[in-house]
């Protein structure tokens, strides 16, 4: 299910973030109190989850409001993986410079450029297949 251009929850779709060789989607949450040169956390959902569902269940965007942290939510497409898992187990998607890993890198660079994120304050976390993809 695609992320609409402005979701009913707190996330906003991120369009045109690069060549996207992994064919992923992305959403962001930038709190109103986000400082110039603030931190970014990339948050990868687990199998059978969506970015929106993971945010709603985990409270990441509420924490971002409290701490002034920008969030990036890469999201798998069911066309890439039937259960919505990131393809951490496929060499073409998990190696540096290719596939889904490169798509996520391009998303991060786009958010860094658009929101003046401090490059030394970029973090990544994930649950289930998202956790495996972070490694």
């Amino acid at each position: 299910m695609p992320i609409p251009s402005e979701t009913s929850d707190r996330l906003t779709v991120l369009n045109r973030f690069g060549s996207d060789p992994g064919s992923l989607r992305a959403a962001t949450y930038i709190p109103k109190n986000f400082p110039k040169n603030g931190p970014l956390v990339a948050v990868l959902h687990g199998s059978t989850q969506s970015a929106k569902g993971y945010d709603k269940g985990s409270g990441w965007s509420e924490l971002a409001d409290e701490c002034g942290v920008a969030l990036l939510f890469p999201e798998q497409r069911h066309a890439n993986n039937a259960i919505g898992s990131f393809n951490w187990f496929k060499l073409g998607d998990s190696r540096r410079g290719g596939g889904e890993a490169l798509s996520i890198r391009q998303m991060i660079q786009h958010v860094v450029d658009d929101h003046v994120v401090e490059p030394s304050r970029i973090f990544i976390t994930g649950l289930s297949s998202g956790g495996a993809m972070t490694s």
Side-chain angles (χ1 to χ4, degrees), residues 29 31 43 45 48-49 90 135:
Y29 182 76
V43 182
H45 64 78
T48 73
Q49 292 181 313
K90 292 184 176 179
S135 67

Side-chain angles (χ1 to χ4, degrees), residues 31-35 37-40 62-70 121:
K32 289 180 174 78
N33 64 339
F34 183 70
N37 295 314
L40 169 66
E62 293 171 14
L63 182 62
D65 283 335
E66 291 176 29
C67 300
V69 175
R121 298 176 72 196

Side-chain angles (χ1 to χ4, degrees), residues 3-4 7 11-15 17 20 23-28 51 72-77 103-104 107-108 111:
I3 301 171
T7 62
L11 307 185
T12 301
V13 72
L14 178 63
N15 288 312
F17 51 80
D20 190 19
S23 189
L24 299 176
R25 289 188 288 250
T28 60
L72 167 66
F73 290 87
E75 185 175 72
Q76 183 59 278
R77 294 176 188 266
S103 291
I104 294 167
M107 293 171 194
I108 290 169
V111 175

Side-chain angles (χ1 to χ4, degrees), residues 44-119:
L44 281 68
H45 64 78
S47 302
T48 73
Q49 292 181 313
S50 66
K52 177 182 173 180
Y54 188 36
D55 179 53
K56 184 176 180 181
S58 66
W60 269 104
S61 60
E62 293 171 14
L63 182 62
D65 283 335
E66 291 176 29
C67 300
V69 175
L71 300 175
L72 167 66
F73 290 87
E75 185 175 72
Q76 183 59 278
R77 294 176 188 266
H78 287 282
N80 296 339
N81 185 294
I83 62 169
S85 297
F86 288 98
N87 290 313
W88 58 270
F89 51 89
K90 292 184 176 179
L91 183 60
D93 281 315
S94 62
R95 68 179 158 78
R96 182 184 298 262
E100 293 175 10
L102 180 55
S103 291
I104 294 167
R105 176 67 183 101
Q106 291 172 345
M107 293 171 194
I108 290 169
Q109 189 62 56
H110 186 86
V111 175
V112 166
D113 292 345
D114 280 4
H115 299 285
V116 194
V117 170
E118 169 55 44

